[in-house]
């Protein structure tokens, strides 16, 4: 089976740094995605990791450890517009499906 | 590039009627399309995976006779919610995978908010 867990909610202050964790147990692994989703809208792509290590893209970075079944999304210099849900999604090697985690709702305060 | 258009963006229907949602890849060939359902404050739940020209593969617990999926071409997949009931009210989102890319990324449509009254 597949199990992808994230914290349900997080809060942070504008200008701060926040780390959103994702742990997964899947049947095979072919990459992990992070998406951002504002209420009532479709998810938008943030990052993709298939090898261990850190991928940096502007204010957002994503890390992957395949041996630990663990990833995190790091958001720096938080802005009010970063208030959204952040979804971790894993692609299975055998099924090739994109399965989403529980999602983390981040609220940024001034 | 990699644009997915989903239509309609919202629909209200009476209980017992059927609703069809379309998902089109505008500038690429979508070898695989995924249909998700999302309830308020929850994550996306995969309903089914469809490949062009073959029957859709449904996730456990999803009624294939109620949620009819057709993937007749490489650019179009449809989801029909048959005999809709209020508990089917939800946000339905499609995503499509570009068969010509190495990255297994799926591109999302805008979503359809279905309300059954």
């Amino acid at each position: 089976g597949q199990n992808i867990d994230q914290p349900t909610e997080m809060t942070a202050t504008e200008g701060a740094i926040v780390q959103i964790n994702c742990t997964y147990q899947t049947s095979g692994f072919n990459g992990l995605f992070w998406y951002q989703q504002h209420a009532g809208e479709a998810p938008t792509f943030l990052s993709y990791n298939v090898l261990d290590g850190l991928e940096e893209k502007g204010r957002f970075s994503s890390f992957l450890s395949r041996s630990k079944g663990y990833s995190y999304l790091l958001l720096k210099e938080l802005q009010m517009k970063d208030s959204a849900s952040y979804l971790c999604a894993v692609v299975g090697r055998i099924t090739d499906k994109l399965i989403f985690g529980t999602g983390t709702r981040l609220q940024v305060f001034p | 590039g990699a644009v997915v258009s989903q239509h309609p963006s919202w629909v209200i229907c009476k209980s017992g009627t059927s609703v069809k949602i379309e998902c089109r890849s505008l500038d690429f060939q979508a070898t695989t399309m995924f249909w998700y359902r999302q309830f308020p404050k929850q994550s996306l739940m995969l309903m089914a995976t469809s490949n062009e020209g073959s029957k859709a593969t449904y996730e456990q617990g999803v009624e294939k006779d109620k949620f009819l999926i057709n993937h007749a071409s490489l650019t179009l997949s449809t989801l029909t919610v048959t005999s809709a009931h209020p508990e089917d009210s939800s946000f339905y989102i499609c995503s499509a995978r570009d068969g010509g890319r190495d990255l297994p990324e799926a591109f999302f449509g805008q979503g359809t908010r279905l309300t059954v009254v």
Side-chain angles (χ1 to χ4, degrees), chain A residues 36-44 80-86, chain B residues 91:
Chain A
Q36 180 192 62
Q37 186 182 29
H38 285 99
E41 299 179 9
T44 55
M80 297 296 291
K81 67 178 182 180
D82 296 329
S83 293
S85 288
Y86 291 86
Chain B
F91 192 51

Side-chain angles (χ1 to χ4, degrees), chain A residues 4-8 20-23 32-39 41-49 60 62 71-73 75 82 84-90 98-106, chain B residues 36-39 41-45 91 93 108:
Chain A
I4 306 170
D5 289 317
Q6 302 176 234
T8 305
I20 303 174
N21 296 324
C22 171
T23 57
L32 185 145
F33 289 92
W34 282 96
Y35 286 87
Q36 180 192 62
Q37 186 182 29
H38 285 99
E41 299 179 9
T44 55
F45 171 80
L46 291 178
S47 68
Y48 171 70
N49 295 69
F60 294 179
S62 57
S71 173
Y72 68 72
L73 180 70
L75 292 77
D82 296 329
S85 288
Y86 291 86
L87 308 174
C88 164
V90 175
L98 185 62
I99 304 297
F100 282 82
T102 49
T104 300
R105 283 194 303 280
L106 173 67
Chain B
Y36 295 88
R37 180 167 54 182
Q38 186 177 34
F39 292 107
K41 296 188 177 182
Q42 294 187 21
S43 189
L44 279 72
M45 297 299 296
F91 192 51
I93 309 177
F108 285 85

Side-chain angles (χ1 to χ4, degrees), chain B residues 86-116:
Chain B
E87 57 265 30
D88 298 324
S89 298
S90 187
F91 192 51
Y92 293 86
I93 309 177
C94 72
S95 68
R97 181 171 286 153
D98 184 348
R101 294 186 180 218
D102 291 334
L103 203 68
E105 180 183 357
F107 301 93
F108 285 85
Q110 304 95 316
T112 298
R113 183 160 303 284
L114 170 63
T115 303
V116 185

Side-chain angles (χ1 to χ4, degrees), chain A:
Chain A
Q2 299 182 99
N3 200 25
I4 306 170
D5 289 317
Q6 302 176 234
T8 305
E9 292 186 352
M10 297 183 71
T11 60
T13 307
E14 196 174 14
I17 299 173
V18 71
Q19 177 174 311
I20 303 174
N21 296 324
C22 171
T23 57
Y24 64 89
Q25 292 177 308
T26 57
S27 303
F29 178 82
N30 197 27
L32 185 145
F33 289 92
W34 282 96
Y35 286 87
Q36 180 192 62
Q37 186 182 29
H38 285 99
E41 299 179 9
T44 55
F45 171 80
L46 291 178
S47 68
Y48 171 70
N49 295 69
V50 67
L51 299 176
D52 291 351
L54 187 68
E55 294 280 342
E56 296 187 78
K57 189 184 293 185
R59 292 190 299 117
F60 294 179
S61 303
S62 57
F63 171 84
L64 175 68
S65 170
R66 289 172 295 171
S67 62
K68 296 181 179 178
Y70 169 70
S71 173
Y72 68 72
L73 180 70
L74 193 71
L75 292 77
K76 302 177 186 176
E77 301 169 17
L78 280 173
Q79 302 174 8
M80 297 296 291
K81 67 178 182 180
D82 296 329
S83 293
S85 288
Y86 291 86
L87 308 174
C88 164
V90 175
V91 181
R93 177 171 294 280
I94 298 173
T95 65
D96 208 27
K97 300 176 188 177
L98 185 62
I99 304 297
F100 282 82
T102 49
T104 300
R105 283 194 303 280
L106 173 67
Q107 195 159 5
V108 180
F109 292 99

